[in-house]
Amino acid sequence: MLETSTVFRVGKDVLYLNKSIPRQGAQLMLSCLLASFFCLLCWVLALTAEGTAFIVLTQILLILVYFGSLYGTIWQMGHEDQILVDINQMKYDKFRGVKIGLFALIPYAIFAVMLVLGKVMDIPFLAVAYRVLNPQYLHIFNALMAPGMSADPSSMFLSIVNVSYLSILAVVALNLFLPIYAGMVYNMGYRKVSVLHSIVYKKTKTKSSK
C-alpha cells in the first residue's frame, strides 16, 4: 500500500482520500447528464413509437439505458469506499449511496421548478425543455401530462396551464428513483456484489454441470 497526502494505492485500486458526498454527488450528476445524452440518442426510435406495445418497449429501453449507464459509476464508488473503510480512512455509512443520489438530484430540482413555472406562467417551452432534459421518462411524461395539455395560439408548443398539479408532482417524483437506485447499487459495490458477474458465473456453472 503506497500512501501520499491524498492518494492510496491498494493493489490495482487507486483511491482518493478527499472524497465527500458533494464531490461524489457531483460526479454522479455528470454521469446523469451523460446518461441523459445517451437517452436522447434513443429518442429517434422512441418518438416514432406507435402502438401501446412499442411505446412500452421504448420506454423500458430508455430507462434501461439511463440507469444502466449509471450502474458502473455508482458501483465503483461503493467498492472504493469499502476499501477506505477497511483501512480506516472512512467511516461506514449505509445510506451514503442515497445521500450521493440526493445530491445528484440538484439539477432535477431546478428542472422541476422550471416545469412548475411553465404551468403557473403559461410558458409552454419550459415543459418541452423539461421533457428534453429528462428523456428517460419520455412516454411516462406524455401519459401523465397529455390529458391536460392544450394548443396555445401564441406558441408552437402545447400549453400545460390546464395540467393538474398532481400530474406535475407525479412527473417530478419519478426522479426520486435516482437516490433509491444509487443506494442499492452503492451497497452492491460496497459488498462486491456484481449483477453481470453473477449472470456470467451462473451460465458458466450451468455449462460445467452438463
Side-chain angles (χ1 to χ4, degrees):
M1 180 175 67
L2 300 178
E3 181 182 352
T4 67
S5 58
T6 59
V7 180
F8 271 91
R9 182 182 298 275
V10 182
K12 296 181 179 180
D13 296 299
V14 178
L15 309 175
Y16 294 87
L17 299 182
N18 55 346
K19 286 189 175 185
S20 64
I21 290 175
R23 182 182 292 272
Q24 290 178 304
Q27 182 184 348
L28 179 57
M29 198 184 299
L30 291 175
S31 295
C32 288
L33 294 177
L34 183 60
S36 293
F37 175 74
F38 291 149
C39 287
L40 283 173
L41 296 179
C42 299
W43 258 36
V44 176
L45 174 63
L47 288 173
T48 58
E50 294 182 1
T52 303
F54 194 37
I55 287 175
V56 170
L57 287 175
T58 52
Q59 178 56 74
I60 292 174
L61 173 63
L62 288 171
I63 291 175
L64 289 176
V65 168
Y66 180 76
F67 287 104
S69 299
L70 302 179
Y71 177 86
T73 298
I74 303 170
W75 194 96
Q76 189 65 24
M77 287 180 184
H79 171 63
E80 292 180 357
D81 287 355
Q82 181 268 324
I83 296 174
L84 291 176
V85 170
D86 283 352
I87 60 177
N88 297 317
Q89 296 297 321
M90 179 184 288
K91 291 184 179 180
Y92 172 62
D93 180 0
K94 64 180 178 181
F95 296 113
R96 188 177 180 88
V98 175
K99 294 174 183 176
I100 293 170
L102 286 172
F103 190 92
L105 279 183
I106 291 176
Y108 295 100
I110 297 173
F111 302 156
V113 171
M114 187 172 66
L115 184 61
V116 173
L117 288 176
K119 171 180 170 58
V120 174
M121 302 178 67
D122 193 14
I123 307 176
F125 172 74
L126 291 181
V128 176
Y130 182 89
R131 185 167 64 168
V132 172
L133 293 168
N134 290 269
Q136 66 273 22
Y137 299 122
L138 171 66
H139 293 306
I140 298 177
F141 178 95
N142 292 340
L144 292 172
M145 301 285 285
M149 298 175 77
S150 56
D152 185 346
S154 62
S155 174
M156 62 182 292
F157 306 115
L158 294 176
S159 172
I160 63 168
V161 70
N162 295 319
V163 174
S164 69
Y165 282 105
L166 185 61
S167 295
I168 290 177
L169 178 62
V171 167
V172 171
L174 289 170
N175 287 316
L176 292 177
F177 283 111
L178 176 59
I180 296 173
Y181 178 76
M184 292 172 55
V185 177
Y186 177 91
N187 282 308
M188 287 173 63
Y190 191 91
R191 293 176 171 80
K192 300 179 183 178
V193 177
S194 172
V195 174
L196 181 61
H197 178 269
S198 298
I199 294 174
V200 172
Y201 176 76
K202 285 183 179 179
K203 286 185 177 180
T204 304
K205 188 176 181 180
T206 301
K207 289 181 180 179
S208 60
S209 62
K210 289 182 180 181

